[in-house]
Amino acid sequence: MKAMVAAALALGLAGCATGRLSDTERLALYQQHAGAPVNQIRYVDPMGWDRIDDQHVVLQMRPNESWLLRLSGPCLQWSSGSPFLGLSSFSGMTLSTFDKVVAPGSNQLSCLIQEIRPLDVKALRAAEKALREKAEAQASGT
């Protein structure tokens, strides 16, 4: 048991040293900077997206407007990976918790959006920068 704890601790420290956060750490960071859930958002062509884990994705609408989406299942768990993510909106002008995320290349696997939360992008960027600086300081021994 002690060996398993030591191995997990070593892996965690290795992750900190490289500056790469685990999916769990990234999700916690995003959730800390997410507002209360909303039922729908105005839907425009998104600038991009970022997979957090198998059930969470960040949708970037504008440089300072991003949304954390929680999905109904592991539809982001594709084996070959995909640089694309499709959104299926019933109304076309809004994205709501009744809409779906579609992962192309995974036999059109789709999941319902269960939750939409606004992200405080400026606070999130500041927190990410602080974490990187802390990791760099630990790596350099200062």
Side-chain angles (χ1 to χ4, degrees), residues 62-84:
R62 295 183 192 95
N64 289 314
E65 180 188 347
S66 292
W67 302 88
L68 178 63
L69 308 180
R70 182 170 49 91
L71 309 175
S72 64
C75 64
L76 301 176
Q77 187 180 44
W78 53 77
S79 60
S80 62
S82 173
F84 304 104

Side-chain angles (χ1 to χ4, degrees), residues 2-80:
K2 288 182 182 180
M4 287 175 40
V5 172
L9 183 59
L11 286 173
L13 291 175
C16 289
T18 62
R20 173 81 172 119
L21 298 175
S22 70
D23 288 352
T24 304
E25 292 167 328
R26 289 183 69 217
L27 178 59
L29 182 66
Y30 279 89
Q31 288 176 330
Q32 288 172 357
H33 295 90
V38 298
N39 291 326
Q40 66 182 20
I41 59 174
R42 192 174 131 241
Y43 181 69
V44 294
D45 278 337
M47 293 178 64
W49 62 276
D50 187 19
R51 176 194 173 278
I52 303 302
D53 63 14
D54 291 341
Q55 293 182 313
H56 294 86
V57 64
V58 171
L59 186 63
Q60 184 182 11
M61 299 302 245
R62 295 183 192 95
N64 289 314
E65 180 188 347
S66 292
W67 302 88
L68 178 63
L69 308 180
R70 182 170 49 91
L71 309 175
S72 64
C75 64
L76 301 176
Q77 187 180 44
W78 53 77
S79 60
S80 62

